[in-house]
């Protein structure tokens, strides 16, 4: 008797940040809470695979999502979800490509369910662990200077110090204030002031990443000045300082060299069809060092394919994870554990609620999960208040 | 008074400054949830405070938020450069204490930046020692009613409470003084399975009515969440038939045939309920005139800050002259402190005005004590201009470091 998926539920569950998150270069305040669209697929053996359909819900309605999930999963044999050879996943199961396309989140559910069904870790299904722990960076340092307006740049410095006190050893600061909310030069000045404030607050040993969400587009002169002034403050990576473009990235490489920076250049979260042409050009010309399509958006199969294409290029895997809530951290840890060139987990630091606790976090890094699948389960007590909004489908 | 009285006032500086306001005080506030189509609104709302200074010492205020929603500070900075050095007499024709026309030289700029004319009316009013409303016409009401417009999909913010989450916050609004509340509906549009969403929408209106009692006005707004589902829309209208709903807003995207059906449902199940729409347009688009001329639209809702005083006044005049019965209820979400005050001033001089949309934000920067809020009504001030000033010490200490200066 084959093991089939007997029921699927989709439930919106709010996930909260530890504080209010402000703007980035282009988007108004993020706020204090987002919604995770939690998908649970239960098999006839009682195993349950979990993922989130947040990205799908950006584009479609619940009605459309349910129809897609029903077609993809309900009544499906668990063994048909993934193609596996010698205990390692090699691709989509028969006929599953069409369902996984543009819905990478579903492949993570497949790894979780297949892993739990077989009693093996999703890390092993991905080829086995390459690291013993996964470093994480705090990604919640938005334009907090606009929220606590009296403190200004120092507000970011103060919040960075709190993150370090909580155990994080790497921080990402949102930059690009001149992109929309401030005049370009004034924005650059505030960006520099924020980096100075944070470095002063956290000391020399904490890694600082900066991410401008393209906020320096059209202002390579200001970007050069910015790089010049923050390089002495020891920046680990520069992310999306400008829109992906070969000439622009050449200019950035020259700025880094001119000012003596050995920081990484990273981008790619906006690549919806990785690796698309312009990013391939940036990779081929060695103009970027890290590539960042979203972990849940592209899923484990998508990222396996990306990693294959990155082999030998020197470009490292740094999946984007913002917006993936509680679930995204589990998916990132599992992927990172099995990825040779993985750098660091983008950590939203959501307040825990509907999932079992994350692995232990020490010295700025997460331990690896030990259970089957993703090593995470639903905490039914935390889930119960949300069950009234559950959309249930049964085979 | 004539335009010549305004010659002595020359614009010499403009500043734009972000000012955060909260749905409740910072740290103690609440999250305003999603509507039928968009993610959570959030924890706060910001005013992009526009200050227009003259060499005579006057300061006109407005909220540049519409422009900041569309683009960025650079566009405003570029486009407002031309205002520096202009006499206050140059923007509008003023005769007998009334604004009678816009100077063609500035009509394009004022059309694109409707909120700019709120600051200009504030200045002109101060220069002529008249309330802003009186530049439009005689006062037609001493008080303007406001409705709490912040009751979004709170059931998804506080899932454990379900529909009651909205009722709890509606009760809080009544406790704070509002006598009219608007409920965001349209759950079939995206976030719920359509039948479940319709049931929840009805359940919420029922729950709120049961909680706030019979004397509170209930308005509903679906942000077009019933598009393509006239069957469910009829279920909804039937479901709220005995709940005394004051208006139904944006139940579906506006088109003649669907609006005919909506009017049929309304006439059949809840004949006293108004049908209102039009927040995302300037108001003179063909579809609205067709809807108005065919008697399918009871009130039209262009945005207060997008339109500004002058364009709204022209719209009201055109409706009056056309002989249709449509009323005016400006959209004013996002408008924050100053937009609400502009809405109140407009309502004070506009017969067709229905009610002011109030985001219910807390700000500590503004001083507008004449806008006394009591039993759901704002008193219309008699002081010149908008009758609002800012706490200068607070501004200098907290907000000035964030201002962009055009001079």
């Amino acid at each position: 008797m084959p093991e089939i998926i007997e029921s699927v539920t989709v439930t919106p569950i709010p996930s909260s940040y530890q504080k209010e998150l402000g703007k980035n270069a282009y988007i108004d305040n993020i706020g204090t809470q987002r919604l995770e669209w939690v998908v649970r697929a239960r098999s006839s053996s009682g195993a349950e695979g979990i993922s989130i359909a947040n990205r799908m819900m950006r584009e479609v309605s619940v009605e459309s999502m349910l129809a897609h999930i029903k077609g993809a999963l309900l009544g499906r044999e668990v063994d048909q979800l993934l193609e596996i050879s010698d205990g390692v996943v090699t691709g989509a199961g028969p006929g599953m490509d069409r369902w996984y396309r543009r819905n990478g989140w579903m492949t993570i559910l497949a790894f979780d369910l297949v892993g739990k069904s077989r009693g093996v870790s999703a890390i092993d299904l991905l080829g086995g662990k390459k690291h013993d722990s996964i470093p994480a960076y705090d990604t919640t340092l938005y334009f907090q200077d606009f929220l606590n307006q009296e403190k200004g740049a120092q507000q970011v410095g103060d919040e960075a110090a709190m993150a370090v006190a909580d155990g994080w050893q790497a921080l990402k600061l949102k930059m690009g204030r001149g992109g929309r909310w401030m005049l370009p030069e004034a924005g650059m000045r505030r960006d520099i002031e924020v980096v100075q404030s944070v470095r002063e607050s956290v000391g020399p040993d904490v890694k600082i990443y900066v991410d401008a969400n393209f906020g320096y587009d059209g202002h390579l002169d200001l970007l050069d000045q910015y790089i010049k002034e923050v390089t002495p403050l020891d920046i680990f990576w520069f992310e999306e300082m400008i829109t992906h473009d070969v000439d622009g990235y050449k200019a950035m490489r020259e700025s880094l060299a001119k000012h003596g920076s050995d920081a990484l250049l990273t981008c790619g979260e906006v690549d919806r069809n990785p690796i698309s042409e312009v990013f391939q050009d940036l990779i081929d010309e060695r103009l970027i060092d890290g590539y960042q399509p979203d972990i849940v958006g592209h899923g484990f199969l998508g990222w396996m394919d990306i990693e294959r294409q990155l082999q030998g290029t020197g470009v490292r895997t740094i999946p984007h994870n913002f917006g993936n809530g509680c679930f995204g951290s589990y998916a990132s840890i599992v992927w990172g554990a099995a990825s040779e060139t993985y750098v660091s987990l983008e950590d939203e630091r959501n307040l825990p609620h509907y999932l079992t606790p994350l692995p232990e976090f020490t010295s700025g890094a997460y331990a690896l999960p030990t259970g089957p699948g993703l090593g995470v389960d639903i905490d039914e007590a935390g889930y119960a208040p949300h069950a009234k909004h559950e959309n249930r489908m049964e085979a | 008074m004539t335009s010549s009285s305004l010659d002595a006032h020359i614009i010499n500086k403009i500043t734009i400054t972000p000012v955060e306001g909260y749905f409740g005080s910072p740290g103690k506030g609440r999250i305003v949830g999603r509507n039928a189509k968009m993610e959570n609104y959030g924890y706060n709302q910001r005013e992009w405070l526009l200050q227009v200074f003259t060499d005579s010492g006057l300061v006109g205020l407005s909220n540049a938020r519409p422009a900041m929603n569309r683009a960025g500070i650079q566009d405003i900075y570029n486009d407002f450069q031309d205002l520096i050095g202009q006499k206050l007499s140059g923007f509008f024709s003023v005769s007998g204490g009334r604004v009678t026309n816009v100077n063609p030289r500035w009509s394009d700029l004022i059309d694109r930046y409707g909120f700019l004319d709120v600051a200009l009316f504030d200045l002109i009013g101060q220069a002529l020692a008249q309330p802003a409303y009186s530049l439009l016409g005689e006062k037609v009401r001493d008080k303007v009613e406001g409705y709490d417009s912040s009751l979004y999909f709170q059931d998804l913010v506080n899932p454990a409470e379900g529909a009651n989450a909205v009722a709890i916050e509606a009760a809080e609004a009544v406790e704070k003084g509002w006598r009219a509340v608007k409920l965001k509906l349209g759950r079939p549009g995206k976030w719920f399975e359509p039948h479940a969403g319709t049931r929840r929408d009805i359940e919420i209106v029922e729950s709120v009515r049961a909680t706030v009692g019979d004397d509170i006005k209930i308005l509903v707004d679906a942000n077009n969440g019933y598009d393509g589902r006239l069957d469910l829309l009829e279920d909804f209208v039937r479901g709220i038939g005995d709940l005394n709903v004051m208006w139904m807003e944006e139940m579906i995207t506006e088109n003649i045939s669907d609006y005919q059906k909506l009017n049929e449902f309304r006439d059949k199940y809840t004949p006293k309920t108004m049908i209102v729409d039009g927040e995302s347009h300037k108001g003179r688009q063909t579809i609205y005139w067709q809807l108005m001329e065919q008697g399918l639209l009871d009130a039209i809702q262009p945005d207060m800050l997008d339109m500004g005083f002058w364009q709204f006044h022209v719209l009201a005049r055109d409706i009056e002259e056309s002989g249709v019965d449509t009323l005016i209820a400006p959209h004013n979400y996002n408008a924050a402190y100053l937009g609400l005050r502009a809405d109140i001033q407009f309502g004070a001089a506009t017969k067709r005005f229905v009610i002011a949309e109030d985001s219910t934000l807390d700000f500590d920067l503004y001083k507008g004590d004449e806008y006394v809020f009591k039993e759901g009504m704002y008193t219309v001030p008699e002081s010149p201009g908008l009758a609002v000033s800012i706490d200068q010490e607070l501004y200098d200490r907290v907000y000035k470091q964030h201002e962009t200066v055009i001079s």
Side-chain angles (χ1 to χ4, degrees):
Chain A
M1 191 77 170
E3 180 183 6
I4 66 163
I5 297 174
E6 289 188 331
S7 70
V8 181
T9 62
V10 183
T11 310
I13 299 182
S15 59
S16 298
Y17 296 115
Q18 315 229 358
K19 61 184 181 185
E20 184 181 9
L21 272 57
K23 303 169 176 34
N24 69 16
Y26 287 105
I27 298 173
D28 220 329
N29 290 7
I30 300 294
T32 57
Q33 184 199 79
R34 293 161 83 102
L35 210 53
E36 292 185 45
W37 289 87
V38 180
V39 183
R40 309 172 66 174
R42 183 171 287 274
S43 77
S44 47
S45 74
E48 183 175 78
I50 307 166
S51 190
I52 54 170
N54 296 13
R55 287 179 174 263
M56 191 175 193
M57 277 304 298
R58 289 183 191 175
E59 297 169 6
V60 303
S61 65
V62 162
E63 188 177 28
S64 301
M65 175 177 62
L66 294 177
H68 185 94
I69 292 172
K70 185 176 180 181
L73 299 179
L74 210 57
R76 183 85 52 186
E77 289 183 28
V78 173
D79 281 346
Q80 300 290 301
L81 294 173
L82 298 167
E83 190 174 272
I84 300 173
S85 175
D86 295 331
V88 176
V89 172
T90 55
M96 290 305 294
D97 262 339
R98 61 175 285 232
W99 299 107
Y100 293 154
R101 197 175 304 132
R102 296 176 56 79
N103 288 294
W105 62 269
M106 206 179 278
T107 69
I108 301 176
L109 183 148
F111 273 77
D112 190 31
L113 180 54
V114 169
K116 284 171 178 166
S117 173
R118 295 181 173 216
V120 299
S121 166
I123 298 170
D124 292 331
L125 292 173
L126 286 163
K129 72 171 186 177
K130 310 296 189 302
H131 313 279
D132 293 325
S133 63
I134 297 300
Y137 66 89
D138 181 316
T139 190
T140 65
L141 296 164
Y142 275 62
F143 290 5
Q144 308 302 96
D145 46 321
F146 278 73
L147 292 181
N148 189 332
Q149 294 182 274
E150 184 166 10
K151 275 191 176 178
Q154 185 58 46
Q155 178 65 22
V156 190
D158 289 353
E159 292 187 21
M162 286 189 278
V164 172
D166 289 341
W168 273 263
Q169 296 296 303
L171 314 164
K172 188 164 85 177
L173 316 179
K174 286 292 190 181
M175 300 278 122
R177 288 167 175 77
R180 179 176 178 186
W181 309 113
M182 301 176 75
L183 290 177
E185 185 157 359
M188 177 203 68
R189 284 283 148 223
R190 175 73 63 79
D191 281 352
I192 293 168
E193 194 184 348
V194 165
V195 181
Q196 289 169 334
S197 170
V198 169
R199 179 53 80 201
E200 191 172 321
S201 296
V202 302
D205 298 331
V206 173
K207 288 191 174 93
I208 295 178
Y209 316 159
V210 295
D211 174 8
N213 295 99
F214 312 138
Y216 283 86
D217 274 354
H219 295 287
L220 285 173
D221 53 337
L222 295 179
L223 179 56
D224 181 66
Q225 183 67 27
Y226 170 82
I227 290 170
K228 177 182 177 183
E229 295 198 38
V230 301
T231 290
L233 299 168
D234 190 14
I235 304 301
F236 185 79
W237 84 43
F238 291 92
E239 177 177 339
E240 287 194 338
M241 303 309 289
I242 54 173
T243 298
H244 33 280
D245 164 75
V246 168
D247 289 341
Y249 268 75
K250 280 181 179 171
M252 252 200 301
R253 275 277 196 239
E254 288 168 12
S255 286
L256 293 179
K258 183 169 70 175
H259 301 304
S261 171
D262 59 359
L264 308 180
L265 290 181
T266 72
C267 66
E269 77 174 67
V270 298
D271 192 351
R272 297 289 177 262
N273 189 26
I275 301 174
S276 55
E277 189 174 350
V278 65
F279 292 99
Q280 191 63 58
D281 291 343
L282 292 172
I283 292 165
D284 292 344
E285 299 203 32
R286 311 245 169 209
L287 294 174
I288 61 172
D289 308 293
Y291 185 51
Q292 303 177 289
D294 189 81
I295 184 66
V296 178
H298 297 284
F300 287 167
L301 287 181
W303 261 101
M304 288 172 70
D305 187 46
I306 292 168
E307 190 164 52
R308 272 194 293 270
Q309 295 180 66
L310 292 178
Q311 275 178 5
T313 65
V315 175
R316 304 181 68 178
T317 62
I318 315 177
H320 175 265
N321 188 41
F322 194 81
N324 293 328
C326 296
F327 179 80
S329 293
Y330 293 88
S332 296
I333 291 169
V334 167
W335 167 257
S339 169
E340 191 78 60
T341 64
Y342 189 83
V343 179
S344 185
L345 157 64
E346 181 170 25
D347 196 343
E348 296 182 85
R349 302 182 56 196
N350 296 89
L351 297 172
H353 50 67
Y354 74 93
L355 294 171
T356 50
L358 280 161
E360 189 180 9
F361 183 69
T362 51
S363 303
Y366 287 100
L368 304 188
T370 54
L374 298 177
V376 61
D377 290 301
I378 298 289
D379 172 353
E380 295 296 349
Y383 180 85
H386 310 287
K388 68 178 63 168
H389 292 127
E390 184 178 88
N391 296 277
R392 172 172 288 274
M393 297 175 287
E394 295 186 347
Chain B
M1 295 284 185
T2 65
S3 296
S4 61
S5 316
L6 304 173
D7 282 346
H9 307 276
I10 297 174
I11 294 172
N12 63 357
K13 188 174 81 166
I14 296 169
T15 62
I16 301 161
T17 313
V19 177
E20 289 290 340
Y22 288 81
F23 298 105
S25 56
K28 298 176 185 173
R30 63 194 182 89
I31 296 168
V32 173
R34 64 202 61 224
N35 66 19
K37 301 288 168 62
M38 298 178 69
E39 294 279 358
N40 275 6
Y41 193 82
Y43 192 62
N44 52 12
Q45 193 181 72
R46 56 230 51 92
E47 187 131 43
W48 286 88
L49 168 62
L50 173 71
Q51 299 184 82
V52 181
F53 298 83
T54 69
D55 62 354
S56 55
L58 303 182
V59 187
L61 306 179
S62 187
N63 179 1
R65 181 80 196 267
M68 292 302 293
N69 281 354
R70 284 195 300 267
I73 196 80
Q74 184 77 62
D75 286 357
I76 308 175
Y77 182 84
N78 294 341
D79 289 343
F80 283 13
Q81 293 286 344
D82 287 348
L83 297 173
I84 303 300
Q86 298 299 323
K87 293 177 182 175
L88 204 48
S89 56
F91 299 98
F92 297 100
S93 301
V94 181
S95 176
R98 302 271 195 267
V99 170
T100 57
N101 212 339
V102 62
N103 182 339
R105 179 186 170 188
W106 298 106
S107 61
D108 177 62
L109 189 74
I110 289 173
D111 180 59
R112 283 187 287 127
Y113 297 104
F115 62 86
L116 171 62
D117 97 342
V118 172
L120 294 174
F121 269 63
D122 190 12
L123 286 171
I124 293 169
Q126 291 176 57
L128 301 181
Q130 292 180 224
Y133 76 79
S134 72
L135 297 171
L136 298 173
E138 295 294 330
K139 186 157 80 168
V140 296
R141 53 180 64 86
D142 294 322
K143 294 181 178 179
V144 170
E145 185 169 19
Y147 67 87
D148 182 330
S149 182
S150 67
L151 297 167
Y152 277 56
F153 288 12
Q154 308 306 104
D155 46 329
L156 291 180
V157 175
N158 297 305
E161 291 289 348
N164 195 45
V166 186
I168 290 169
E169 295 191 14
E172 290 170 358
V174 171
E175 177 70 24
K176 289 177 182 173
W178 279 274
R179 295 292 175 263
V181 294
K182 187 166 85 177
L183 315 178
K184 286 291 192 179
L185 303 183
R187 285 167 179 77
K190 181 172 172 73
W191 306 115
F192 281 67
E193 187 281 323
H195 291 89
T198 306
R199 286 195 298 274
R200 174 61 61 84
D201 277 356
I202 295 169
E203 187 186 0
I204 280 172
V205 183
E206 289 172 339
S207 172
V208 170
R209 176 56 77 206
T211 302
V212 303
D214 295 337
D215 297 334
I216 303 299
K217 294 186 175 101
I218 293 178
L219 299 63
V220 302
D221 175 5
N223 293 100
N224 302 327
Y226 284 87
D227 273 355
R229 295 307 302 259
L230 289 176
D231 57 333
L232 296 180
L233 179 57
E234 181 170 14
D235 290 345
F236 170 78
V237 179
R238 185 192 303 116
I240 55 118
D242 59 356
L243 295 171
N244 190 23
V245 170
M246 176 182 165
W247 83 32
M248 293 186 288
E249 175 179 343
E250 286 196 339
M251 302 308 290
I252 46 174
T253 299
E254 49 278 16
N255 71 68
I256 298 294
S257 62
D258 286 353
Y259 258 68
Q260 286 170 336
K261 295 300 291 184
L262 175 58
N263 274 260
E264 283 175 24
F265 302 153
R266 184 270 308 272
D267 294 347
K268 185 174 178 183
Y269 301 116
T270 177
K272 291 182 179 175
T273 300
M274 297 168 67
I275 293 174
V276 305
D277 206 325
E279 73 177 53
S280 56
H281 296 274
K282 289 276 189 178
R284 284 291 327 221
Q285 279 83 354
T286 307
I287 183 65
Y288 294 108
W289 284 99
Q290 288 176 341
L291 290 170
M292 286 193 280
E293 285 170 351
Q294 295 190 30
L296 299 173
L297 190 63
D298 299 308
I300 188 166
Q301 305 179 285
D303 185 80
M304 186 69 227
L305 290 173
D306 214 23
M307 295 277 280
F309 285 128
W310 176 248
Q311 291 183 83
F312 241 132
H313 184 62
V314 170
L315 176 65
R317 188 183 65 193
D318 289 353
I319 292 173
E320 196 76 35
E321 290 174 355
S322 71
V324 301
D325 295 331
T326 305
L327 302 175
I328 292 176
H331 174 264
N332 209 28
Y333 205 71
N334 273 333
Y337 188 95
L338 294 168
L340 176 62
R341 271 67 194 171
D343 208 13
I344 293 166
Q345 294 279 347
F346 176 68
T350 306
K351 287 179 186 170
R352 288 173 179 272
F353 186 89
V354 182
I355 192 168
E357 180 167 18
D358 189 345
S359 302
T360 75
L361 292 156
D362 285 353
F363 286 94
D364 53 5
L365 180 63
Y366 300 106
K367 294 189 283 190
D369 297 342
E370 286 184 68
Y371 291 93
V372 175
F373 180 64
K374 189 175 179 185
E375 295 182 353
M377 309 287 279
Y378 286 93
T379 301
V380 178
E382 288 304 322
S383 288
L386 278 185
V388 177
S389 60
I390 66 171
D391 179 335
Q392 197 61 48
E393 184 281 325
L394 182 64
Y395 183 84
D396 291 344
R397 176 163 51 86
V398 175
Y399 301 103
K400 189 175 177 62
Q401 61 179 314
H402 299 282
E403 74 178 13
T404 295
V405 180
I406 305 168
S407 60

